Amino acid sequence: MASPASPAPAAVTARGWGWRYATRLKWAARGIDLDIAPGERVLLLGGSGSGKSTLLHALAGVLGGDEEGEHAGDLRLDGAAPHSVRGRAGLVQQDPDAQAVLARVGDDVAFGCENLGVPREEIWPRVREALDLVGLGVPLDRPTNALSGGQKQRLALAGALAMTPGLLLLDEPTANLDPEGARSVRDAVGRVLDRTGATLVVVEHRIDVWLPLIDRIIVLGSGADASSGGSAVIADGTPNEVLGTRGAELAARGVWVPGIPPRHPAPPVAAPGETLLTARGLEVARVKGTPVAGPVDEVVRAGEVLGIIGPNGAGKSTLGRTLAGLLPPAAGAIDASESLSAGAGPAPIRWTSRQLLTRIGTVLQSPDHQLLASSVRRELEVGPRALKLPEGEIAARVDELLERLRLAHLAEANPHTLSGGEKRRLTVAAMLATRPRVVVLDEPTFGQDARTWAELVDIIASLRDGRGDDPRSAVVAITHDADVLAALHARVLALPGATA
Ligand code: ADP
Ligand code: MG
């Protein structure tokens, strides 16, 4: 009987494979040719929207039937159509919060097995073994929402493992984690592969963490590479071959190549200007009565980026939302300057959502929590419409942002169907549409390819420095990404780890 430790590793073949979602004219993936042998450990790279997630979903057998899209060419798992061998591939995705489906750890890990119809008496030994293998020694009845991001990702990995997959598919599994959480997940994957010998395909932009574990790199190009009849696979080989000999070329296409950092914007044009927000003895709480961070005494100034760093659980996002006027301070106060409040009173938490729009803009960590409208264009119109701007002005702002954030070709698409990088660009654009003077960005660059990273950093720098008629803004950036703070010459506020 198969146990989590002994699946046979799976083989993958693709011949001219492609997929077009029914709602789109352009192919999401096209012209993919691949042979992955059992037990190989592959890192799959490619720019935002190049079809990496689409390929992984197809291999996991979860891409819909004919009514949901059109496929081209051939894709096989052990010689069979992937959807006919569901369970042979186990998929772990990016967002830790979106993946824990059930309330308790044990039930969550058992969920996939139950769906596959694994006999009851076999499920629980598998669940315990999988949890043990990923190093998650918590009781089976522990609530899933009490786990850290790194623990949630290891929980998702355990859920995939309990189904004894021969192919492990990891779609940016550490993009939302702090460095320690990322290493804990990487180490868990390493233990799993050493024990099971499963084939691995992992997608991740920041590749340093994964290099010790993988033996091959495959790079997907853009639609343009495949549309002329060429292959969408633009590089394929050992890490040394791919990064060593073609590193500069791939970096130019937006791949993060270790040792080749993306270009940085120019430093600030002038010393920081006016203080727009002042925090005095500020303590913050996610739920009333239990402060998670503070007291903080700090100023937020026009023409400056204030970086907030600290380990997972230190209260960074809570502090960000409190500074943004979305959560009431647990203690102390936040005062807005006269020029920022412009008659709305000193305490941002008392401002209406419409008053906030032009004063403080927020981009939340998880884009999915912020997408409201049925198309990209309408998403960008939400703020300007709430401000009752004239139609001509709304159209001008939206068109400019569609161009600037490379979203014009997606104007009519449903925001929830965008790739991870496209969603991040959209939430930033939607925030910019009302031209707030203070912007609070929670992990603005995480999980981005190097090209989008450089574009987002440029946009933040232009907010900081002002542009055209727009005055300099104050930027608060919460991030695990030390590069982004260096690139923006940020002043850094480090929150200590949680003491509780
Ligand atoms: P990657 O993972 O490489 O960033 P994806 O595979 O997520 O790219 O997306 C490839 C293209 O397919 C993108 O243009 C994206 O907007 C589109 N796409 C992804 N998922 C859907 C969906 N469910 N419906 C329609 N289009 C989609
Ligand atoms: Mg993706």
Side-chain angles (χ1 to χ4, degrees):
M1 193 184 299
S3 88
S6 60
V12 173
T13 52
R15 290 290 172 270
W17 183 79
W19 175 265
R20 186 182 63 77
Y21 292 95
T23 55
R24 297 288 176 84
L25 292 173
K26 270 181 62 183
W27 289 73
R30 190 166 206 187
I32 294 182
D33 293 294
L34 287 175
D35 287 284
I36 299 174
E40 276 194 290
R41 302 169 174 193
V42 174
L43 177 64
L44 180 65
L45 300 178
S48 161
S50 61
K52 304 178 298 295
S53 296
T54 301
L55 175 61
L56 262 46
H57 288 148
L59 285 169
V62 298
L63 264 193
D66 290 346
E67 72 285 359
E68 285 172 44
E70 175 185 0
H71 71 93
D74 200 34
L75 183 68
R76 287 176 188 273
L77 197 57
D78 292 337
H83 64 82
S84 69
V85 287
R86 272 181 96 155
R88 277 297 280 151
L91 175 64
V92 176
Q93 309 199 62
Q94 176 174 341
D95 187 354
D97 294 320
Q99 290 196 84
V101 278
L102 296 181
R104 288 172 206 288
V105 162
D107 297 338
D108 194 75
V109 175
F111 181 72
C113 286
E114 282 165 358
N115 270 349
L116 284 181
V118 175
R120 287 234 121 230
E121 65 281 5
E122 217 182 287
I123 292 181
W124 291 98
R126 287 194 187 192
V127 167
R128 283 196 194 86
E129 193 171 348
L131 282 169
D132 186 47
L133 203 48
V134 302
L136 207 55
V138 301
L140 295 183
D141 63 355
R142 174 71 56 87
T144 47
N145 63 16
L147 302 180
S148 72
Q151 287 176 324
K152 278 184 190 154
Q153 287 300 69
R154 283 182 282 146
L155 178 73
L157 183 61
L161 281 184
M163 295 187 275
T164 69
L167 172 63
L168 206 50
L169 301 165
L170 310 180
D171 195 357
E172 306 194 32
T174 63
N176 288 2
L177 304 182
D178 63 9
E180 195 187 309
R183 276 191 299 273
S184 79
V185 170
R186 190 268 326 268
D187 291 346
V189 172
R191 278 196 303 277
V192 167
L193 296 181
D194 289 344
R195 266 281 276 295
T196 67
T199 311
L200 172 74
V201 179
V202 55
V203 173
E204 197 82 80
H205 291 298
R206 307 300 285 264
I207 65 184
D208 315 43
V209 155
W210 294 94
L211 281 177
L213 213 76
I214 52 135
D215 47 36
R216 180 174 169 193
I217 294 181
I218 296 174
V219 187
L220 293 187
S222 63
D225 294 295
S227 58
S228 46
S231 176
V233 175
I234 57 169
D236 184 353
T238 65
N240 275 341
E241 283 162 6
V242 171
L243 299 176
T245 59
R246 301 188 50 199
E249 175 200 339
L250 295 172
R253 282 172 165 267
V255 173
W256 283 101
V257 177
I260 312 184
R263 79 196 136 70
H264 285 189
V269 286
E274 187 192 349
T275 294
L276 297 176
L277 290 174
T278 305
R280 286 178 291 111
L282 177 66
E283 295 185 36
V284 301
R286 226 162 298 161
V287 285
K288 234 178 155 188
T290 42
V292 291
V296 168
D297 291 284
E298 193 51 84
V299 292
V300 176
R301 296 183 288 194
E304 182 176 60
V305 176
L306 175 67
I308 300 180
I309 63 169
N312 274 350
K316 301 183 298 294
S317 294
T318 312
L319 176 58
R321 293 168 82 118
T322 309
L323 287 171
L326 302 175
L327 282 176
I334 300 171
D335 293 319
S337 72
E338 294 270 325
S339 93
L340 177 65
S341 63
I349 188 64
R350 312 192 82 114
W351 299 347
T352 64
S353 52
R354 188 167 156 202
Q355 286 173 326
L356 270 174
L357 285 174
T358 52
R359 292 172 175 84
I360 310 181
T362 313
V363 175
L364 300 177
Q365 178 164 2
S366 170
D368 287 308
H369 297 154
Q370 218 166 359
L371 299 171
L372 309 164
S374 59
S375 78
V376 166
R377 177 178 292 282
R378 268 179 239 136
E379 189 72 48
L380 295 177
E381 289 172 351
V382 169
R385 281 206 193 290
L387 293 177
K388 302 201 164 56
L389 296 177
E391 285 301 318
E393 171 70 17
I394 295 178
R397 285 194 189 189
V398 168
D399 286 338
E400 195 251 341
L401 287 167
L402 285 171
E403 283 305 320
R404 194 157 152 224
L405 279 292
R406 275 193 298 120
L407 293 166
H409 62 293
L410 295 166
E412 303 313 321
N414 179 332
H416 288 283
T417 67
L418 301 185
S419 76
E422 291 161 349
K423 278 183 191 164
R424 173 49 87 210
R425 301 208 296 277
L426 175 58
T427 50
V428 169
M431 183 273 296
L432 293 177
T434 56
R435 306 199 173 146
R437 294 205 55 205
V438 176
V439 302
V440 178
L441 306 161
D442 200 347
E443 299 291 0
T445 55
F446 247 52
Q448 300 302 316
D449 64 39
R451 175 180 177 186
T452 311
W453 185 95
E455 288 168 352
L456 287 167
V457 168
D458 272 344
I459 285 170
I460 299 171
S462 70
L463 284 169
R464 177 195 66 194
D465 297 340
R467 151 179 197 278
D469 294 338
D470 292 341
R472 294 193 290 163
S473 301
V475 179
V476 177
I478 297 158
T479 184
H480 296 304
D481 181 353
D483 293 344
V484 88
L485 298 176
L488 289 164
H489 296 261
R491 190 163 59 81
V492 173
L493 167 66
L495 296 186
T499 45

